[in-house]
Amino acid sequence: MGNTFGHIFTLTTFGESHGEAIGGVVDGFPAGIDIDVDFVQRELDRRRPGQSHISTSRRESDRVELLSGVFEGKSTGCPIGFIVRNENQRSADYEEMRHVLRPSHADFTYQAKYGVRDYRGGGRSSARVTIARVVAGALAKLALKRLGVSIQAYTSQIGDIALDGDYTQFDLSLTETNPVRCPEPEKARQMEELVAQVKAEGDTLGGCITCVAKGCPVGVGEPEFDKLHARLAYAMLGINAAKGFEIGSGFASASQRGSAANDLFGKGFTTKTNHCGGIQGGISNGQDIYFRVAFKPVPTILQAQPTLDVDGNETILKARGRHDPCVVPRAVPIVEAMTAMVLLDQILLQKTVTI
């Protein structure tokens, strides 16, 4: 049913935006890993709503409750169950959407597939469900830390404002110093102003997130259908509102010649360039893994739009409720979480690395 992610390290999620809670079960997690609950909570805090003037005003504490699989601060190797309770639902804001289909949202497809849908905040299709991914990703980060693997994502574009150059040209430690999570202060200021302006207009924006994984061992990934970059693309495109994925030079490679695009070897089997994004033949080569994910504008806008009701009749919808004018800043920890889950799962598949 598409509710479980991973091969060995797996996450099964449950919950809806306006239900009692969002939760999940992590299985296949190695035993003996120190579980820093404060770290897991900090990762959730990076995703939670209401954290700045340019995000949704929905207020949620998003406190994680670990229910199993942890004893005296360490993982036991048993399934780790957890929940995060919903506290600040305003379901009445969505009453007029009971019979109306929001353009570019999942309303029509859920109705067509299941014959029933939870219209309150999108139900299962809401980005609030990504809470479970952030918890599982935080756990995966704790395991990867033992191997010296680190993951850092940041906002590289919002609307038509984009960073010039690749990740090596920025101080990524500045990412968390501003609401848009951009490591270049002047571009961050411009992005923040743009999001605030568009929010005031009742409209929304898209953008891009760049992610960098350092320290991944050589040889991670499978050579055919489970190529490492294919697993990363699968994970990223499963995030709400994600519309595009490129790794390394990505689409720019289409206009290059091989003589320019090839990553020539240096000493110690390193490469002098990293156009491939740290993956060759679907397998990690020990260089930094880096990629970009494109996100569309949030489809729920606070402007009147023509649409259809569930019976196919034309109508006008002006949505109410609390919505992000741009999902990109809050999606940064989600991209990191999914990257951590993919890398840990693929490393465990190797069966040659002791954590």
Side-chain angles (χ1 to χ4, degrees):
M1 296 293 102
N3 296 308
T4 298
F5 178 89
H7 292 93
I8 293 180
F9 173 87
T10 65
L11 168 67
T12 301
T13 72
F14 63 86
E16 298 83 30
S17 177
H18 286 228
E20 290 297 318
I22 305 296
V25 177
V26 168
D27 208 353
F29 191 76
I33 303 296
D34 291 326
I35 303 300
D36 184 345
V37 179
D38 290 338
F39 171 75
V40 176
Q41 187 59 56
R42 287 195 299 272
E43 292 292 277
L44 271 178
D45 290 343
R46 296 170 66 209
R47 195 225 69 94
R48 70 177 174 81
Q51 58 185 276
S52 78
H53 69 103
I54 58 169
S55 69
T56 172
S57 60
R58 180 171 176 170
R59 297 288 179 178
E60 296 279 359
S61 63
D62 284 355
R63 305 303 299 180
V64 64
E65 302 174 39
L66 299 182
L67 306 178
S68 62
V70 179
F71 180 68
E72 295 184 341
K74 292 185 181 293
S75 59
T76 63
C78 299
I80 300 176
F82 62 87
I83 61 170
V84 173
R85 299 182 187 278
N86 294 324
E87 301 169 339
N88 191 223
Q89 310 98 312
R90 286 198 337 212
S91 300
D93 287 347
Y94 297 91
E95 185 59 35
E96 65 186 285
M97 299 179 195
R98 180 189 292 269
H99 303 295
V100 176
L101 304 174
R102 291 171 293 178
S104 286
H105 218 292
D107 295 349
F108 170 71
T109 50
Y110 267 59
Q111 188 77 39
K113 181 177 178 66
Y114 299 107
V116 62
R117 65 183 172 91
D118 184 346
Y119 60 88
R120 305 166 303 167
R124 182 70 170 162
S125 70
S126 169
R128 184 154 178 78
V129 178
T130 59
I131 282 173
R133 305 180 188 208
V134 174
V135 174
L139 295 172
K141 281 185 176 182
L142 291 173
L144 290 171
K145 185 177 180 180
R146 284 211 181 173
L147 300 175
V149 178
S150 64
I151 298 165
Q152 172 76 68
Y154 62 92
T155 298
S156 52
Q157 181 175 346
I158 289 181
D160 60 359
I161 300 172
L163 296 185
D164 299 317
D166 66 24
Y167 70 96
T168 62
Q169 300 177 38
F170 304 107
D171 181 357
L172 301 190
S173 69
L174 299 177
T175 299
E176 295 293 324
T177 63
N178 56 77
V180 293
R181 294 199 165 93
C182 172
E184 205 286 304
E186 177 56 26
K187 291 285 189 179
R189 182 191 64 78
Q190 295 174 23
M191 290 176 181
E192 185 176 348
E193 289 179 354
L194 178 61
V195 175
Q197 172 193 331
V198 170
K199 180 181 181 182
E201 296 169 355
D203 214 337
T204 59
L205 285 164
C208 292
I209 291 172
T210 298
C211 187
V212 185
K214 295 178 176 288
C216 182
V218 177
V220 175
E222 303 302 318
E224 183 58 15
F225 296 114
D226 269 345
K227 290 180 170 66
L228 183 55
H229 58 282
R231 295 301 299 175
L232 286 167
Y234 171 77
M236 298 307 139
L237 293 175
I239 299 173
N240 304 57
K243 284 295 184 180
F245 174 89
E246 64 174 357
I247 187 161
S249 296
F251 287 99
S253 301
S255 61
Q256 292 178 322
R257 296 189 179 190
S259 55
N262 286 349
D263 293 316
L264 303 181
F265 284 110
K267 293 182 179 180
F269 299 104
T270 60
T271 57
K272 296 179 180 180
T273 55
N274 191 15
H275 300 301
C276 66
I279 300 172
Q280 294 173 323
I283 300 169
S284 61
N285 66 359
Q287 306 305 303
D288 293 348
I289 295 171
Y290 72 97
F291 56 86
R292 285 205 317 163
V293 188
F295 290 84
K296 71 174 184 177
V298 177
T300 303
I301 64 174
L302 303 183
Q303 297 180 7
Q305 296 183 93
T307 188
L308 300 176
D309 64 21
V310 293
D311 297 315
N313 301 308
E314 294 183 353
T315 186
I316 298 294
L317 171 67
K318 184 173 182 181
R320 294 186 297 148
R322 299 161 295 178
H323 307 281
D324 285 286
C326 179
V327 299
V328 174
R330 291 179 59 213
V332 167
I334 303 169
V335 168
E336 290 182 5
M338 296 307 297
T339 303
M341 290 168 62
V342 169
L343 293 183
L344 180 58
D345 188 40
Q346 293 293 304
I347 287 171
L348 291 174
L349 276 170
Q350 288 297 99
K351 300 181 180 178
T352 59
V353 178
T354 300
I355 294 180

